[in-house]
Amino acid sequence: MNGRTPALRGAVAVAGIAAAGCALLAIAHLGITIPVLSRFGPRGDAVPPAVVAFAIGTALFGAIAVGLWQRRRWSFAAGLAVSALAVLSGVAQYRGAVSAVGIVLAVVLAGLLLAPGSRRQFSA
């Protein structure tokens, strides 16, 4: 096919899902009601620090998804580093189910990157 392992394709998908989730959370923290998400996460007033944090998360996870797809060397290390930061942030600022989903996505991304064969995709 395209030479990408199933684990690498999964990592691209998970990073993309994490980017989309961060984008939704940034919007929700602006004080905008998002159906379903607002039942579990932010509701009410805007929280500017969270908007900034989730906007940065959107950019980072999006860049990682693109970098992984293009097999850029930096994306492997960046994916692991951002996953670790997402887990630490999710645990430190735990807010229930939405935080748990973010933590799980970050752990899954790191696991896919560390899967046998994934790292070889970035060496050349």
Side-chain angles (χ1 to χ4, degrees):
M1 188 182 245
N2 57 16
R4 290 174 186 85
T5 64
L8 180 58
R9 288 192 304 269
V12 170
V14 170
I17 290 167
C22 283
L24 285 173
L25 286 167
I27 292 166
H29 282 89
L30 286 169
I32 299 169
T33 300
I34 298 175
V36 181
L37 180 60
S38 293
R39 288 184 182 187
F40 300 101
R43 33 190 178 286
D45 298 332
V47 184
V51 173
V52 171
F54 284 115
I56 291 169
T58 300
L60 289 174
F61 280 115
I64 289 166
V66 171
L68 290 173
W69 183 254
Q70 294 177 350
R71 289 187 236 170
R72 303 287 185 208
R73 286 186 179 187
W74 58 264
S75 64
F76 179 83
L80 291 175
V82 171
S83 291
L85 287 172
V87 169
L88 292 173
S89 175
V91 169
Q93 300 293 323
Y94 191 79
R95 300 284 190 265
V98 175
S99 296
V101 169
I103 292 167
V104 168
L105 284 172
V107 169
V108 169
L109 176 58
L112 288 168
L113 289 173
L114 294 172
S118 285
R119 187 172 189 147
R120 283 191 303 267
Q121 297 281 303
F122 300 95
S123 61

